[in-house]
Amino acid sequence: MSRLYDVLVLGSGPAGYTAAIYAARAGLEPGLISGYQPGGQLTITTEVENYPGFREAIMGPDLMDRMREQAAHHGTELINGEVERVDLSVRPFRVWADGTLYEARALIVATGASARLLGLPSEQAFMGFGVSACATCDGPFFKGRRVMVVGGGDTAMEEATYLTRLCAEVTVVHRRDTLRASKIMQERAFKNPKIHFLWDSEVVEVLGAESPRKVTAVRVKNHKTGAITEHPIEALFVAIGHQPNTGFLKGQLPMDERGYLRIEPGTARTEIPGVFAAGDVADAVYRQAVTAAGSGCMAAIDAERWLHEQEHAEAAAAAQSKR
């Protein structure tokens, strides 16, 4: 027999944990299905300096552990597993994770988004130690240093332009000889004296030291000449896009062409009553822990109010039927 939850949260990053904390404190006894990477992208982040409440930097995994413990402390049932599919055409909603069926009156989707990476073993080895997929998160650690950005779209140009405010030199590596970014973003990048370009090239290896672990250089291959050159840098920012983790929701919830869930502006409500979205799964712009947490709060409050409205409507219908 499946268990019926008033609120079931899918995802365990800042958005999911915050939604669970608020729902639990409201007495809704939520369940939270964590996914195979509990804590989300912050688990591959080292020091976090921009999350309010911590004067000194806190490690990303430590911050997620604290959120997890807080959610459990207030009454959230934490469920280890990965959501495989859902059925939002029935009430209560149905969710399958690792072969087990869960049911919920209200659903909060907070499964986040995954950064597209280069797929290099050396990239993984230095992830969080000079390799990053978020310039606004990690750029301040490299003030006055030489850094590199991989990508040719708007995200890459935004990251590169932002980094010039902090870093001494920014090199952009792009696989083609022209950018995919919008015209205005290209113009800004080309006019910036701190940004240099390596065209028709790709990073093939990240080099670094082990004690302390840090990036010291990268090897770059030119597609036209085949030449491999080494470039001394202290950070590599991969900006080739993000993929929202919404594959299991296709055909179930409206989403944009990139897969981000559509929500009603100013709320966490999706187009299906009783289903809410929070965090990077619906945010292609900010992608910060603090904004994800804020939207998790919104989703929980929206869900609580929606459930209260449903209970009121059901009570009114029951009273009407007795007349």
Side-chain angles (χ1 to χ4, degrees):
M1 293 292 292
S2 63
R3 176 173 172 183
L4 175 62
Y5 296 87
D6 283 329
V7 176
L8 187 60
V9 180
L10 310 184
S12 58
Y17 283 141
T18 303
I21 290 165
Y22 271 79
R25 293 186 71 251
L28 297 175
E29 298 182 347
L32 182 148
I33 301 177
S34 65
Y36 287 144
Q37 189 182 351
Q41 293 187 70
L42 280 184
T43 59
I44 59 172
T45 301
T46 50
E47 294 182 328
V48 178
E49 289 189 325
N50 55 4
Y51 197 85
F54 297 93
R55 186 183 69 177
E56 306 297 334
I58 182 172
M59 300 296 284
D62 292 341
L63 179 59
M64 290 298 92
D65 284 345
R66 292 193 187 194
M67 287 191 182
R68 182 181 186 277
E69 291 169 3
Q70 187 176 3
H73 172 74
H74 286 292
T76 302
E77 181 183 345
L78 301 173
I79 304 163
N80 294 321
E82 182 84 2
V83 176
E84 300 154 354
R85 62 189 178 98
V86 301
D87 186 351
L88 306 182
S89 67
V90 297
R91 301 298 175 97
F93 303 119
R94 292 183 170 187
V95 176
W96 286 267
D98 290 353
T100 300
L101 170 63
Y102 302 90
E103 295 183 304
R105 294 187 176 93
L107 199 64
I108 296 176
V109 182
T111 46
S114 300
R116 292 190 177 98
L117 300 175
L118 303 176
L120 303 172
S122 55
E123 173 189 43
Q124 287 297 323
F126 290 98
M127 181 62 67
F129 296 91
V131 176
S132 171
C134 180
T136 52
C137 305
D138 300 323
F141 293 115
F142 301 97
K143 291 180 179 178
R145 313 290 180 82
R146 287 181 296 184
V147 302
M148 183 173 283
V149 174
V150 178
D154 278 353
T155 298
M157 295 309 102
E158 288 170 3
E159 301 267 271
T161 302
Y162 168 78
L163 287 167
T164 61
R165 303 172 199 164
L166 305 167
C167 304
E169 180 181 307
V170 179
T171 300
V172 174
V173 179
H174 186 42
R175 295 173 61 89
R176 301 176 180 84
D177 58 4
T178 57
L179 298 173
R180 295 179 290 104
S182 60
K183 185 177 180 180
I184 188 170
M185 292 304 300
Q186 291 191 43
E187 290 176 350
R188 288 175 184 170
F190 290 145
K191 289 179 180 178
N192 195 313
K194 284 190 174 182
I195 298 178
H196 309 281
F197 291 86
L198 287 177
W199 302 106
D200 301 304
S201 300
E202 67 174 320
V203 174
V204 293
E205 187 177 5
V206 181
L207 306 175
E210 288 300 325
S211 184
R213 191 184 305 183
K214 63 179 181 178
V215 170
T216 58
V218 293
R219 289 196 176 106
V220 175
K221 180 178 181 180
N222 184 288
H223 292 306
K224 289 186 174 180
T225 66
I228 295 178
T229 53
E230 192 169 302
H231 300 263
I233 60 169
E234 294 182 65
L236 177 70
F237 293 90
V238 182
I240 55 178
H242 287 73
Q243 180 62 49
N245 300 320
T246 55
F248 69 98
L249 292 168
K250 287 184 178 178
Q252 295 282 336
L253 276 175
M255 54 186 74
D256 68 14
E257 66 280 357
R258 295 170 294 177
Y260 288 94
L261 297 183
R262 297 186 185 276
I263 54 175
E264 181 183 332
T267 77
R269 295 193 291 264
T270 70
E271 291 184 20
I272 295 183
V275 180
F276 308 88
D280 290 7
V281 77
D283 173 19
V285 178
Y286 300 104
R287 300 195 300 268
Q288 299 296 302
V290 68
T291 53
S295 66
C297 164
M298 291 169 62
I301 291 174
D302 283 349
E304 179 190 2
R305 291 174 177 172
W306 184 82
L307 286 167
H308 180 72
E309 291 169 1
Q310 296 305 300
E311 291 170 0
H312 181 75
E314 290 169 4
Q320 182 67 30
S321 67
K322 291 180 181 179
R323 294 179 182 174

